[in-house]
Amino acid sequence: QMSSVISFATFVQVLASPQIKMNFFAAVFALGLIASITAMPFTEEQQQKAQGHIKTCLAETKATPEDVGKLKAGDFSNEDPKVQCFAHCFLREANMVDADGQQNREVIIAKLSTNKDKKDVEALYEKCKNSSGTDACNKSFNAYKCYRKAGAF
């Protein structure tokens, strides 16, 4: 029985280490982020692809899951380049923008029309299509902001 107590104490010490706590927190947060994004009314296939895009873009941009969660929630106060590049990466992976941040009308309308009237999505595209920026990341961030504020995401 003493070995069980020592094993449990060792387990608690390992869990309490800063590196483990941070990795655990990041993993739980990333899973929550994936769940919240994939809870949107998109097709099952789109939801599965979004999970892959999130993982790819977190790794590519080094944005934190916390900052990405805020972005997803509509909090655009953090204009860190990593956050902006996450938005660009995600939209690029979804083929909604190209490498330069130029929007793909057909893809945007097709993907956003799965749960909205196509005419409404076309009007939204017209509103957001000219989102500008200093570079591809900033342009995509501003486009995401436009669509998100209009309730498309």
Side-chain angles (χ1 to χ4, degrees):
Q1 186 171 25
M2 184 62 157
S3 63
S4 296
V5 173
I6 293 170
S7 297
F8 180 72
T10 303
F11 177 71
V12 170
Q13 282 181 324
V14 169
L15 284 181
S17 73
Q19 187 63 34
I20 295 294
K21 283 197 292 193
M22 188 55 156
N23 288 341
F24 178 76
F25 176 75
V28 168
F29 193 87
L31 288 174
L33 176 66
I34 289 168
S36 69
I37 288 177
T38 59
M40 290 187 273
F42 292 111
T43 68
E44 182 68 29
E45 180 184 354
Q46 287 175 319
Q47 292 175 16
Q48 289 174 354
K49 287 181 180 180
Q51 290 178 0
H53 300 338
I54 291 166
K55 290 176 187 175
T56 297
C57 296
L58 282 171
E60 179 180 309
T61 65
K62 307 296 186 227
T64 68
E66 298 85 357
D67 287 338
V68 172
K70 289 178 185 176
L71 179 68
K72 192 280 178 198
D75 177 353
F76 301 104
S77 60
N78 184 353
E79 295 191 359
D80 182 283
K82 291 178 183 176
V83 174
Q84 292 187 21
C85 287
F86 177 89
H88 173 66
C89 177
F90 188 87
L91 294 177
R92 186 194 69 226
E93 290 292 311
N95 296 316
M96 296 173 85
V97 301
D98 65 15
D100 296 324
Q102 297 290 37
Q103 296 182 44
N104 183 333
R105 181 184 190 280
E106 292 75 27
V107 173
I108 290 170
I109 291 171
K111 289 187 180 202
L112 298 183
S113 294
T114 60
N115 65 332
K116 295 184 180 351
D117 182 73
K118 187 174 180 179
K119 295 282 184 206
D120 292 341
V121 174
E122 288 171 344
L124 179 58
Y125 172 80
E126 290 301 317
K127 176 183 175 186
C128 298
K129 72 178 181 181
N130 293 321
S131 297
S132 61
T134 56
D135 59 21
C137 291
N138 185 245
K139 189 184 297 184
S140 295
F141 177 78
N142 289 332
Y144 178 83
K145 188 186 315 186
C146 182
Y147 288 106
R148 176 66 176 86
K149 286 184 175 183
F153 295 114

